[in-house]
């Protein structure tokens, strides 16, 4: 069939085609070798004259003969038609096949078709990945679930990875918000706008700063315009505009698939671990590069296992479970710089939405990300999706029974109850009964961590209270913000939004809302709020605000009297059959008429019920065994590795020899200054407050607001008093993924940050933007550093000899080759200028794979052992 032309007959006269219809046929002919012929239907009565451009595409699809070569083309047509017909609440254009269309609308439809045809080409270019195996090859080391996903995406295809090993990986999806894209677009512009790896795998959500009341503000218009430009330039299929969904909500509900590797420009990208994929948040520069190249690098993190046992009490879900985990295990302890893998017999009692809430707050736990072992609940969650292509391509992995974990913990779900994390830390968790009668000025139910199930339970708690005769007091404000328009539509259908209104809640448009305190809804200085969001840092809900976090049920119960209230008596009134029915209801899939109306007939299949034991086929990463022999799925036998992979290729010169130094860079390797002494867990919200992110473009501008609320004297000390070397405690840079925290520190004169430990995302952001970061654990002789280095102490850092000098003492440290290179050149942006799309091939290419029994030790989150690899 290669090179042949397929003829498709259209039952229309060629001279009767509109300009838009001719453009449609031209686009299809270019996409595939296809020729259209025309003719009427003889005496058959036809209503084709009543069809608009959408109806014309339906006509074309119905006349393309069944042919394997044209399955993709039909899928592109079908996707375009569906997106045209679906209601706007489900990401569609709200059109019909017959209503007259304006020229502008026809142009939008043709652009939509072009995005799906471009996606067809993108998918075809990505089909060379080998198929996974059905069984673990003999001799291959045991792996955790996370390690298997890394191994499946490792470009070397050797079939296994190990903690500490540096790998180059292919990625499946890139995520960004309109706020993170604003920064990313500047980096994209600076490297020459080279194009992106797949137009159908960039999920861009307008949710952080935008909301209808602010659309006309100049800074908001600028953010919105940048996203619209990206949509057009990249021909993106995955852009639903603004305030359609919080970034993670619909992506996890309708896109992310088990087995995928996802990179997001937001720290809560870990949410997608709920559906058994590996989803990792990073800073903007770290996300732009895989957006362009389709690849990035990792030093494989260690994995910690958390096994769930028991069953949670009635009405207790994911939010209270992750708060209980934070209470018991604390933040930045067992999870710090590791991937958290959730498993155990208790999993069956945690719904997909409950898992979403837990995975979402793994970043507050201090983890690189979290991932749930796949089971029948995973399959149930995936089966609810509207479109088949987002159900059928899942690859299910599970950990080997003999996999190695850095630590193993057990959480008994029967011990979970309603909790509150008290301002200003997510780990300051206490039972709600200890805070009863704590007076509130406001109650907020929303943010990405609050899933559909939480919103439904919150409404049912309110209804139970109203039925009991409880009345909302006149004091304070109450706000509810559904995570997406599909969820809002469903809540409206079920009458549950009306319950919120009866309880005096205002209903907002989907978006981050009060969780980042940038919109019209903000807590005022000194106000005490109870919120179902995920962070309660200082000033998070607004300057001077005091935020405490809890489940939607606890917030709902507390909203009646505007004081913290245990929801359990109201949860006990829940009718679980009603709750189950509400959760199963699908406005689209439950109606055959709707499926036909929106061209979804071929997408339909029965959803898997929670009570069903579904048969999941588990896979293993394709690759080579310990003897260097490859396994294939088709033969199941060993054979020679015919094509030399990256491990056998010629090695280029060391990258540091190829990279030009940043103009004005410090060539002596010596940094001198005074200590800026800071404590533990300095978060990125404190370093550069959210309200300034969209207002600044240069390091100097961000620097002018550095630590504005947290430590107002910081800028004067750094700029004018010479306190240019930070010495901090544990978890420096926790919180949001914003790379502007590094820009802000550089902008006010900081030359180096020394800390006991860094947050994963922030640790990568520092070298990416050319700021020296040194991790010095408080152990052994190095404990003394944190006693000597007090505010204003003289200190110097010698990168040539890897020594910190303070007082009369010296302290040795280690930097990876990757860190040295990136800092030397001025960041990853400059490295891209040198290597272009071959960036990661040059920086990450090993000469020989290490033996499976060799563990590479070092820092995770930076290339810990790259000195051992010829670069």
């Amino acid at each position: 069939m290669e090179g042949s032309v397929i003829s498709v007959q259209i039952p229309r006269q060629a001279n009767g085609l509109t300009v838009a219809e001719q453009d449609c046929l031209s686009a299809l002919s270019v996409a595939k070798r296809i020729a259209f012929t025309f003719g009427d239907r003889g005496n058959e009565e036809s209503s084709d004259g009543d069809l608009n451009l959408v109806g014309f595409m339906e006509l074309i699809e119905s006349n393309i003969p069944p042919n394997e070569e044209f399955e993709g083309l039909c899928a592109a047509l079908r996707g375009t038609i569906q997106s045209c017909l679906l209601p706007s609440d489900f990401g569609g254009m709200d059109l019909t096949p017959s209503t007259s269309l304006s020229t502008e609308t026809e142009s939008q439809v043709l652009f939509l078709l072009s995005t799906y045809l471009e996606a067809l080409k993108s998918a075809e270019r990505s089909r060379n990945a080998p198929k996974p195996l059905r069984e673990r090859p003999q001799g291959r080391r045991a792996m955790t679930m996370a390690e298997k996903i890394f191994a499946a995406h490792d470009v070397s295809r050797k079939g296994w990875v190990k903690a500490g090993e540096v790998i180059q990986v292919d990625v499946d999806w890139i995520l960004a918000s309109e706020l993170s894209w604003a920064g990313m677009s500047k980096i994209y512009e600076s490297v020459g706008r080279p194009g992106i790896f797949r137009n159908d795998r960039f999920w861009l959500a307008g949710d952080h700063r935008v909301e209808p009341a602010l659309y006309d503000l100049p800074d908001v218009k600028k953010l919105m315009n940048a996203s619209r430009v990206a949509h057009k330039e990249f021909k993106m299929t995955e852009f639903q505009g603004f305030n359609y969904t919080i970034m993670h909500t619909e992506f996890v509900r309708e896109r992310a698939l088990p087995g995928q590797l996802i990179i997001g420009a937001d720290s809560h990208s870990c949410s997608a671990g709920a559906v058994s994929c590996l989803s990792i948040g990073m800073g903007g520069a770290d996300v732009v590069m895989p957006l362009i190249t389709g690849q990035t690098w990792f030093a494989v993190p260690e994995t910690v296992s958390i096994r769930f046992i028991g069953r949670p009490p009635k009405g207790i879900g994911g939010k209270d479970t992750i708060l209980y985990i934070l209470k018991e295990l604390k933040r930045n302890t067992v999870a710090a710089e590791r991937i958290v893998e959730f498993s155990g017999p208790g999993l069956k009692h945690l719904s997909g939405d409950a898992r979403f809430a837990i995975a979402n707050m793994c970043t507050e736990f201090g983890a690189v990300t979290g991932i749930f072992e796949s089971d029948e609940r995973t399959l149930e969650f995936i089966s609810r999706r509207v479109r088949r292509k987002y159900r059928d391509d899942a690859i299910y992995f599970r950990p080997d029974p003999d996999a190695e974990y850095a630590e193993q913990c057990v959480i008994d779900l029967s011990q979970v109850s309603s909790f509150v994390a008290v301002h200003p830390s997510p780990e300051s968790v206490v039972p709600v009964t200890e805070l009863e009668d704590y007076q509130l000025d406001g109650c907020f139910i929303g943010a990405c961590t609050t899933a559909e199930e939480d919103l439904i339970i919150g409404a049912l708690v309110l209804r139970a209270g109203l039925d009991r005769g409880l009345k909302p007091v006149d004091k304070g404000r109450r706000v509810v913000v559904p995570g997406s328009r599909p969820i809002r539509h469903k809540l409206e259908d079920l009458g549950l939004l009306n319950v919120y209104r009866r309880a005096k809640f205002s209903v907002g448009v989907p978006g981050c809302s009060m969780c980042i305190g940038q919109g019209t809804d903000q807590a005022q200085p000194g106000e005490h709020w109870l919120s179902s969001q995920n962070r309660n840092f200082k000033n998070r809900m607004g300057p001077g605000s005091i935020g405490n976090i809890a489940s939607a049920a606890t917030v709902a119960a507390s909203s009646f009297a505007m004081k913290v209230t245990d929801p359990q008596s109201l949860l006990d009134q829940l009718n679980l059959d009603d709750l189950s029915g509400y959760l199963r209801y699908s406005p689209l899939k439950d109606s055959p008429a709707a499926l036909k109306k929106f061209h979804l007939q071929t997408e339909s299949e029965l959803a898997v019920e929670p009570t069903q034991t579904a048969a999941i086929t588990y896979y293993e990463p394709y690759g080579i065994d310990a003897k260097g022999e490859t396994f294939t799925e088709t033969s199941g036998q060993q054979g020679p590795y015919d094509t030399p992979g990256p491990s056998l290729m010629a090695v280029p010169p060391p990258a540091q020899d190829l990279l030009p130094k940043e103009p004005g860079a410090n060539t002596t390797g010596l940094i001198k200054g005074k200590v800026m002494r800071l404590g533990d867990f300095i978060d990125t919200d404190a370093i550069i407050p959210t309200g300034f992110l969209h207002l600044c473009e240069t390091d100097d501008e961000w620097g002018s607001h550095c630590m504005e609320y947290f430590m107002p004297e910081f800028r004067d000390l750094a700029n004018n008093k010479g306190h240019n070397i930070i010495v901090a405690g544990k978890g420096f840079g926790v919180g949001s993924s914003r790379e502007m925290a590094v820009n802000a520190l550089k902008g006010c004169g900081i030359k180096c940050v020394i800390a006991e430990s860094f947050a994963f995302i922030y640790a990568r952001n520092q070298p990416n933007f050319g700021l020296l970061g040194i991790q010095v654990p408080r152990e052994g002789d190095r404990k003394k550093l944190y006693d000597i280095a007090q505010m204003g102490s003289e200190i110097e850092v010698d990168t040539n000899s890897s020594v910190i000098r303070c007082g009369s003492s010296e302290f040795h440290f280690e930097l990876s080759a990757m860190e040295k290179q990136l800092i030397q050149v001025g960041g990853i942006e400059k490295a891209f200028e040198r290597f272009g799309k071959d960036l990661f091939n040059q920086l990450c290419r090993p000469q020989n794979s290490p033996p499976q029994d060799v563990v590479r030790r070092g820092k995770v989150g930076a290339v810990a052992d790259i000195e051992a690899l010829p670069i």
Side-chain angles (χ1 to χ4, degrees), residues 532-568:
S532 67
Q533 64 194 57
N534 41 39
R535 288 190 177 143
N536 57 351
F537 301 152
K538 291 179 179 179
N539 308 299
R540 178 75 180 183
M541 301 183 76
S545 62
I546 300 167
N548 308 281
I549 53 181
S551 67
T554 300
V555 178
S558 302
S559 70
F560 287 106
M562 273 296 164
K563 60 184 182 182
V564 174
T565 304
D566 186 352
Q568 197 57 53

Short mmCIF file of all heavy atoms in Angstrom, two decimals, residues 532-568:
data_model
loop_
_atom_site.label_atom_id
_atom_site.label_comp_id
_atom_site.label_asym_id
_atom_site.label_seq_id
_atom_site.Cartn_x
_atom_site.Cartn_y
_atom_site.Cartn_z
N SER A 532 -9.82 23.55 51.70
CA SER A 532 -9.51 22.18 51.25
C SER A 532 -8.34 22.17 50.26
O SER A 532 -8.12 21.16 49.59
CB SER A 532 -10.75 21.54 50.61
OG SER A 532 -11.08 22.19 49.40
N GLN A 533 -7.59 23.26 50.17
CA GLN A 533 -6.43 23.32 49.28
C GLN A 533 -5.28 22.51 49.85
O GLN A 533 -5.43 21.80 50.84
CB GLN A 533 -6.02 24.77 49.05
CG GLN A 533 -5.53 25.49 50.30
CD GLN A 533 -5.45 26.99 50.11
OE1 GLN A 533 -6.44 27.64 49.78
NE2 GLN A 533 -4.28 27.57 50.34
N ASN A 534 -4.10 22.60 49.22
CA ASN A 534 -2.99 21.73 49.61
C ASN A 534 -1.87 22.45 50.34
O ASN A 534 -0.95 21.80 50.84
CB ASN A 534 -2.42 21.00 48.39
CG ASN A 534 -2.34 21.88 47.16
OD1 ASN A 534 -2.00 23.06 47.27
ND2 ASN A 534 -2.67 21.32 46.02
N ARG A 535 -1.86 23.76 50.38
CA ARG A 535 -0.77 24.49 51.03
C ARG A 535 -1.32 25.55 51.97
O ARG A 535 -2.30 26.23 51.65
CB ARG A 535 0.15 25.15 49.99
CG ARG A 535 0.98 24.12 49.26
CD ARG A 535 2.06 24.71 48.39
NE ARG A 535 2.83 23.62 47.80
CZ ARG A 535 3.33 23.62 46.58
NH1 ARG A 535 3.17 24.66 45.80
NH2 ARG A 535 4.02 22.58 46.14
N ASN A 536 -0.67 25.67 53.11
CA ASN A 536 -1.08 26.68 54.09
C ASN A 536 0.10 27.54 54.51
O ASN A 536 0.19 27.99 55.64
CB ASN A 536 -1.70 26.00 55.33
CG ASN A 536 -0.75 25.01 55.98
OD1 ASN A 536 0.30 24.69 55.45
ND2 ASN A 536 -1.13 24.50 57.15
N PHE A 537 1.03 27.77 53.56
CA PHE A 537 2.19 28.60 53.85
C PHE A 537 1.75 30.03 54.18
O PHE A 537 0.65 30.46 53.84
CB PHE A 537 3.14 28.65 52.64
CG PHE A 537 3.66 27.30 52.21
CD1 PHE A 537 4.02 27.07 50.90
CD2 PHE A 537 3.81 26.26 53.12
CE1 PHE A 537 4.52 25.84 50.49
CE2 PHE A 537 4.30 25.02 52.72
CZ PHE A 537 4.65 24.82 51.41
N LYS A 538 2.67 30.78 54.77
CA LYS A 538 2.39 32.18 55.08
C LYS A 538 2.05 32.94 53.80
O LYS A 538 2.70 32.77 52.77
CB LYS A 538 3.61 32.82 55.75
CG LYS A 538 3.88 32.31 57.15
CD LYS A 538 5.11 32.98 57.74
CE LYS A 538 5.37 32.48 59.16
NZ LYS A 538 6.58 33.09 59.76
N ASN A 539 1.02 33.74 53.87
CA ASN A 539 0.60 34.63 52.77
C ASN A 539 0.06 33.86 51.55
O ASN A 539 -0.18 34.47 50.51
CB ASN A 539 1.75 35.54 52.31
CG ASN A 539 2.39 36.28 53.45
OD1 ASN A 539 1.74 37.05 54.14
ND2 ASN A 539 3.68 36.04 53.68
N ARG A 540 -0.14 32.56 51.65
CA ARG A 540 -0.54 31.75 50.50
C ARG A 540 -1.90 32.20 49.97
O ARG A 540 -2.11 32.28 48.76
CB ARG A 540 -0.57 30.27 50.88
CG ARG A 540 -1.01 29.33 49.76
CD ARG A 540 0.04 29.14 48.72
NE ARG A 540 -0.40 28.24 47.67
CZ ARG A 540 0.36 27.84 46.65
NH1 ARG A 540 1.59 28.28 46.53
NH2 ARG A 540 -0.13 27.02 45.73
N MET A 541 -2.85 32.47 50.87
CA MET A 541 -4.20 32.83 50.44
C MET A 541 -4.37 34.34 50.28
O MET A 541 -5.44 34.81 49.92
CB MET A 541 -5.22 32.29 51.43
CG MET A 541 -5.18 30.78 51.59
SD MET A 541 -6.45 30.13 52.70
CE MET A 541 -7.92 30.25 51.65
N GLY A 542 -3.29 35.07 50.49
CA GLY A 542 -3.32 36.52 50.42
C GLY A 542 -2.35 37.08 51.46
O GLY A 542 -2.10 36.44 52.48
N PRO A 543 -1.77 38.25 51.22
CA PRO A 543 -0.82 38.83 52.17
C PRO A 543 -1.40 38.94 53.58
O PRO A 543 -2.49 39.48 53.76
CB PRO A 543 -0.53 40.21 51.58
CG PRO A 543 -0.81 40.07 50.12
CD PRO A 543 -1.96 39.10 50.03
N GLY A 544 -0.68 38.39 54.54
CA GLY A 544 -1.11 38.48 55.93
C GLY A 544 -2.20 37.50 56.32
O GLY A 544 -2.68 37.53 57.46
N SER A 545 -2.58 36.60 55.42
CA SER A 545 -3.66 35.67 55.70
C SER A 545 -3.17 34.49 56.52
O SER A 545 -1.97 34.19 56.55
CB SER A 545 -4.27 35.16 54.39
OG SER A 545 -3.30 34.45 53.63
N ILE A 546 -4.10 33.81 57.18
CA ILE A 546 -3.79 32.64 58.00
C ILE A 546 -4.66 31.50 57.50
O ILE A 546 -5.87 31.46 57.76
CB ILE A 546 -4.05 32.93 59.49
CG1 ILE A 546 -3.16 34.10 59.95
CG2 ILE A 546 -3.79 31.68 60.33
CD1 ILE A 546 -3.55 34.67 61.28
N GLY A 547 -4.05 30.59 56.76
CA GLY A 547 -4.80 29.49 56.16
C GLY A 547 -4.53 28.17 56.85
O GLY A 547 -3.40 27.85 57.18
N ASN A 548 -5.58 27.40 57.07
CA ASN A 548 -5.49 26.05 57.63
C ASN A 548 -6.16 25.11 56.64
O ASN A 548 -7.15 25.49 55.99
CB ASN A 548 -6.20 25.98 58.98
CG ASN A 548 -5.73 27.06 59.93
OD1 ASN A 548 -4.68 26.95 60.54
ND2 ASN A 548 -6.51 28.14 60.06
N ILE A 549 -5.65 23.89 56.50
CA ILE A 549 -6.20 23.01 55.46
C ILE A 549 -6.83 21.76 56.05
O ILE A 549 -6.39 21.24 57.07
CB ILE A 549 -5.13 22.65 54.41
CG1 ILE A 549 -3.86 22.08 55.04
CG2 ILE A 549 -4.80 23.85 53.56
CD1 ILE A 549 -2.77 21.74 54.02
N ALA A 550 -7.88 21.31 55.38
CA ALA A 550 -8.66 20.15 55.82
C ALA A 550 -9.38 19.57 54.61
O ALA A 550 -9.23 20.06 53.48
CB ALA A 550 -9.66 20.56 56.89
N SER A 551 -10.16 18.53 54.83
CA SER A 551 -10.95 17.93 53.75
C SER A 551 -12.14 18.81 53.43
O SER A 551 -12.56 19.68 54.23
CB SER A 551 -11.44 16.55 54.16
OG SER A 551 -12.39 16.67 55.23
N ALA A 552 -12.73 18.59 52.26
CA ALA A 552 -13.93 19.35 51.87
C ALA A 552 -15.06 19.10 52.87
O ALA A 552 -15.84 20.01 53.18
CB ALA A 552 -14.37 18.94 50.46
N ALA A 553 -15.15 17.87 53.39
CA ALA A 553 -16.20 17.55 54.37
C ALA A 553 -16.04 18.38 55.63
O ALA A 553 -17.01 18.91 56.18
CB ALA A 553 -16.16 16.06 54.70
N THR A 554 -14.80 18.51 56.12
CA THR A 554 -14.55 19.29 57.33
C THR A 554 -14.83 20.77 57.09
O THR A 554 -15.41 21.45 57.95
CB THR A 554 -13.10 19.09 57.81
OG1 THR A 554 -12.89 17.71 58.09
CG2 THR A 554 -12.81 19.90 59.05
N VAL A 555 -14.42 21.26 55.93
CA VAL A 555 -14.68 22.67 55.61
C VAL A 555 -16.19 22.91 55.53
O VAL A 555 -16.70 23.91 56.05
CB VAL A 555 -14.00 23.08 54.29
CG1 VAL A 555 -14.33 24.53 53.95
CG2 VAL A 555 -12.49 22.89 54.39
N ALA A 556 -16.91 21.99 54.89
CA ALA A 556 -18.37 22.14 54.76
C ALA A 556 -19.04 22.17 56.13
O ALA A 556 -19.87 23.04 56.41
CB ALA A 556 -18.94 21.01 53.91
N ALA A 557 -18.68 21.22 56.99
CA ALA A 557 -19.28 21.17 58.32
C ALA A 557 -18.97 22.42 59.12
O ALA A 557 -19.80 22.91 59.90
CB ALA A 557 -18.79 19.93 59.06
N SER A 558 -17.76 22.96 58.92
CA SER A 558 -17.32 24.14 59.69
C SER A 558 -17.96 25.43 59.18
O SER A 558 -17.92 26.45 59.87
CB SER A 558 -15.80 24.25 59.62
OG SER A 558 -15.17 23.09 60.11
N SER A 559 -18.52 25.39 57.97
CA SER A 559 -19.04 26.62 57.37
C SER A 559 -20.34 27.09 58.00
O SER A 559 -20.69 28.26 57.88
CB SER A 559 -19.25 26.41 55.87
OG SER A 559 -20.33 25.52 55.61
N PHE A 560 -21.08 26.20 58.67
CA PHE A 560 -22.35 26.62 59.26
C PHE A 560 -22.14 27.65 60.35
O PHE A 560 -22.73 28.73 60.33
CB PHE A 560 -23.11 25.39 59.81
CG PHE A 560 -23.70 24.52 58.75
CD1 PHE A 560 -23.14 23.29 58.43
CD2 PHE A 560 -24.83 24.93 58.05
CE1 PHE A 560 -23.68 22.48 57.46
CE2 PHE A 560 -25.39 24.13 57.06
CZ PHE A 560 -24.81 22.90 56.76
N ALA A 561 -21.31 27.34 61.32
CA ALA A 561 -21.10 28.24 62.46
C ALA A 561 -19.83 29.08 62.31
O ALA A 561 -19.51 29.86 63.19
CB ALA A 561 -21.03 27.43 63.75
N MET A 562 -19.11 28.90 61.21
CA MET A 562 -17.83 29.57 60.97
C MET A 562 -16.86 29.33 62.12
O MET A 562 -16.19 30.22 62.62
CB MET A 562 -18.04 31.07 60.74
CG MET A 562 -18.31 31.42 59.29
SD MET A 562 -16.91 31.04 58.21
CE MET A 562 -17.71 31.11 56.61
N LYS A 563 -16.79 28.06 62.50
CA LYS A 563 -15.77 27.62 63.44
C LYS A 563 -15.46 26.16 63.12
O LYS A 563 -16.33 25.42 62.61
CB LYS A 563 -16.21 27.79 64.88
CG LYS A 563 -17.45 27.01 65.28
CD LYS A 563 -17.85 27.33 66.71
CE LYS A 563 -19.08 26.51 67.14
NZ LYS A 563 -19.50 26.85 68.52
N VAL A 564 -14.23 25.74 63.38
CA VAL A 564 -13.81 24.39 63.03
C VAL A 564 -14.72 23.37 63.72
O VAL A 564 -14.95 23.44 64.94
CB VAL A 564 -12.34 24.15 63.43
CG1 VAL A 564 -11.95 22.70 63.20
CG2 VAL A 564 -11.42 25.08 62.64
N THR A 565 -15.26 22.44 62.91
CA THR A 565 -16.26 21.49 63.39
C THR A 565 -15.95 20.10 62.87
O THR A 565 -15.64 19.92 61.69
CB THR A 565 -17.67 21.92 62.91
OG1 THR A 565 -17.93 23.26 63.35
CG2 THR A 565 -18.73 20.98 63.45
N ASP A 566 -16.06 19.10 63.73
CA ASP A 566 -15.89 17.71 63.33
C ASP A 566 -17.07 17.31 62.44
O ASP A 566 -18.23 17.40 62.85
CB ASP A 566 -15.84 16.82 64.57
CG ASP A 566 -15.51 15.36 64.25
OD1 ASP A 566 -15.49 15.00 63.05
OD2 ASP A 566 -15.29 14.59 65.20
N PRO A 567 -16.81 16.84 61.20
CA PRO A 567 -17.91 16.51 60.29
C PRO A 567 -18.50 15.12 60.51
O PRO A 567 -19.45 14.75 59.79
CB PRO A 567 -17.24 16.59 58.92
CG PRO A 567 -15.86 16.12 59.19
CD PRO A 567 -15.50 16.64 60.56
N GLN A 568 -17.98 14.33 61.44
CA GLN A 568 -18.31 12.92 61.48
C GLN A 568 -19.80 12.64 61.66
O GLN A 568 -20.36 11.73 61.05
CB GLN A 568 -17.52 12.19 62.57
CG GLN A 568 -17.51 10.67 62.40
CD GLN A 568 -16.96 10.23 61.04
OE1 GLN A 568 -15.87 10.63 60.66
NE2 GLN A 568 -17.72 9.42 60.31
#
